[in-house]
Amino acid sequence: MQTPASLSRISRRVSLQWMLGATAALATPERHLFAADPVTTAKGYGPDPSMVKIYAPGDVWPLTLTDPQRRTTHALCDLILPADDSSPSASAVGVPDFIDEWISSPYPAQVGDRHTILNGLKWIDEESQRRFNKLFADLAIDQQTALCDDIASLKPKPALKKAASFFKRFRDLAAGGYYTTPEGSKAIGYTGNMPSGTFDGPPVEALKHVGLV
Amino acid sequence: MPIITAGQLQKEYDVVIVGSGAGGGQTAYTLTMEGVKVLVMEAGRSFDVSTEVAMLQWPSQAPLRGEKTPDKQYGFHDCSIHSGWEIPGEPYTNAHAEVENQFKWWRQRMMGGRTNHWGRISLRNGPLDFKPRTRWGMGFDWPIGYDDLAPYYDKVEMLVGVFGTNEGLENSPDSSPGVLLPAPKLRVGELYAQKHGRKVDAHIVSIHRAVLTKPQDAEAIPAKLHPDNAKAQRILAESMRTRAPCFWATDCHRGCAIRANYDSQTVHLRPALATGNLDILPNAMAREVTVNKDGKATGITFIDKTTGREGHAKGRVMVLAASSMESVRLLLNSKSNLFPHGIANSSGKVGKYITDSVSSSLSAHIPVFEGMPVHNEDGAGGPHAYVPWTLLAQNRHGGLGFPGGYHLEFTSGRQMPAVNVVSSIDSRAGSASVLYGKKLKEEARRFYGCQLGFGAQGTMVPNDDCYAELDPDLKDQWGIPVLRFHWKWSDFELNQVKHQQTRIRGLLEALGGKVSKAETDPAKAIKQGGTVIHEVGGAIMGADPKTSVTNQWSQTWDVKNLFLADGAPFASTADKNPTLTIMALAWRMADHLLDELKRQNL
């Protein structure tokens, strides 16, 4: 069998996946909330983008979350990564925009996430309406926590399985978006990316920590 | 003489080189410094390392936080453009449907080629690596030995700047005194592994990498490399003075605007251009080596990618350095009445005996690293230490089930966080739920940098089932027939991977590591052929024209003015990364080419 590694095949696959994703989105009953434009026409940055340029979400392809979806995303991001004494909240460093950029991406790896995230956002608002008569973003923190604790279990009840896999994926993306910022990097303990005249090796307290001195 | 367009080609060059990477760059450097008029043809565009590479940008300043995409297959800030396993309009095929019998081919269409993207790991092949058939009864002996190449290893290391230490190990050679730059201090994980690895015979030492840890000695080195050539000395000294030493930040794969690490443009092409003896033609996709009725090569036919038009560059001598497989493709596509099966292919060996490094990896959570005091260990933008192969005595006759050996490279540390930074944190923290909120932030900090892993790179035995040929039907966007690959691991590779996995696991456990998941089936653990991007062979050198494509000078047996300067002439592969050897071999080839030009033998 021959397997030509041609682009046209990838393009066909990408558009097919987009159509499937778009169809799924259209099939949802509450279209006013969740009919984000299918990004069938969005393009990636191509094989030769400027690498030195500073990009923000939305610079290369349009963001597609609706305002209600963005509100829910914002609230969920900050519940997952709240501000504390030493580091900012997720929304303060642009994580909701990153999530939007990610699920709006024309690249194949993100297409599956789009489906998961949009359906999950829908579920979480419906669930909070059902339980508290409010949208998720309008809940008190302890109500948000109660709701998320149910879907944070690594062994969820069968009825919550989909919501749980959404939560895990959303958490991973939110944390990934957070810790890849300068502020997030500092919060996790990465202090590099800083030119220096010398490299002195590990400090003595690090060596002590592992019993090397 | 500068970077030109197809319309500005000289009538004829002394030497036409296809490819601007490690082999093409070294060849151009050596020849132009001696006054030879050279054309370098590059399929990609010009690329300015000093202004185009993203050294200090954060992932949050790139689309998708810099994650890999089909457009940038090693991530957004990786210094590769027009590059990938799959490139639009440039297909290749595989003869077999099963993934394990397929070869993946990385192409890098840009000035400097793949030297823009590599770990700068610069290990010498050892004496045994040149004589595997003598030692283990398999593979092919090179027609040269370590002693033939040793002076060129010294020269290349002085030219490009390589840090490391001399350890006196068997088959992992020392450099001559004064050649290596000082090795950087080891990181805490490397030191910890060095101490505790001893329990399992893992001997951890400084690695050798092409990164300047201090300014090059622009007073002394030029005179050593170019005795009796004042002009070359002056140009090299000036070039060396434009290179700053490492500023101890950023991953080398991003490229180096301060020129602290080696890439072909920084080290080879800039001084070569300064001689006034070099033209570089970018955007030129070589299609064919042309020949005259006497069977001598006359030039290279190419497609000018800016216009789609065909052009021809004439030369007295042709050097193919287009990457092992691209040079093979060029040879096979150069068909004529004299060479119906492709030029320089009377042996039928063009395309045969392709190898890649035998590789697998494994990592573990190291509990003692939890809560490590915060510190910056960016260092020299890549590993500072490695585990050389020191089990030769146990494998004197291949008793381990495979010939040769493998070294281990560290794969982790307190690196710049990527999007997947917390994806396995829940199980690591022993949590029954997906962590979020304050607890997530605490645990992320506690576990950051606790993952330690090793990737193995080992000797593959050349075999009859790993080869490339022309696809009978498919052509690329310029109408050039494409390669079709055949690939098959032998038991030697699978045995080796089994050994790698056991050894790495033992090493990680000696560090107290908890290996989360290990693949026990070597056929699944082995990295797919081509994916280490160490493919060599395809036009192997030998002592006999019947069984090899080139002689010991990488000069084709059939066409005396046609040479190879990439990995294609490797007779057998070693566990060492190939780039340093490609450069040493190219320099040696270029010296011979100069002699033959002087003697008017070409």
Side-chain angles (χ1 to χ4, degrees), chain A residues 1 45-48 51-52 55 80 82 87 101 107 149 152 154 168 171 176-177 180 187 189-190 193 196 209, chain B residues 45 56-57 61 64-65 69 71 82 94 247 370 378 414 419 423 426 432-437 441 445 448:
Chain A
M1 197 194 85
Y45 43 68
D48 189 6
M51 289 181 275
V52 293
Y55 295 83
I80 290 169
S87 55
E101 176 196 44
Y107 294 112
D149 279 348
L154 291 172
K168 162 84 166 100
R171 192 284 310 265
T180 45
Y190 173 75
N193 205 30
S196 163
H209 185 79
Chain B
R45 73 163 173 90
L56 296 167
Q57 276 79 348
Q61 294 167 334
L64 301 174
R65 297 302 203 250
T69 68
D71 283 329
H82 295 291
N94 271 285
F247 62 30
E370 285 172 29
D378 277 2
R414 300 177 68 82
V419 166
S423 48
D426 310 314
S433 62
V434 176
L435 295 170
Y436 68 97
K441 281 179 137 180
R445 194 174 173 84
Y448 165 67

Side-chain angles (χ1 to χ4, degrees), chain A residues 7 10 13-14 45-47 105-110, chain B residues 64 67-74 83-88:
Chain A
L7 178 74
I10 293 176
R13 196 177 63 224
V14 172
Y45 43 68
S105 156
Y107 294 112
Q110 283 81 39
Chain B
L64 301 174
E67 281 297 284
K68 297 170 184 179
T69 68
D71 283 329
K72 295 277 286 179
Q73 296 174 22
Y74 273 97
S83 303
W85 310 106
E86 297 183 0
I87 298 182

Side-chain angles (χ1 to χ4, degrees), chain B residues 319-372:
Chain B
V319 177
L320 307 187
S323 84
S324 308
M325 295 304 106
E326 202 67 68
S327 291
V328 162
R329 183 181 173 201
L330 256 169
L331 293 172
L332 292 175
N333 271 319
S334 304
K335 289 180 188 169
S336 58
N337 290 339
L338 284 169
F339 302 107
H341 304 294
I343 196 169
N345 196 19
S346 65
S347 64
K349 297 294 185 189
V350 171
K352 302 292 163 61
Y353 309 123
I354 311 169
T355 56
D356 190 14
S357 293
V358 178
S359 182
S360 71
S361 59
L362 193 61
S363 67
H365 172 68
I366 312 288
V368 72
F369 293 173
E370 285 172 29
M372 177 84 71

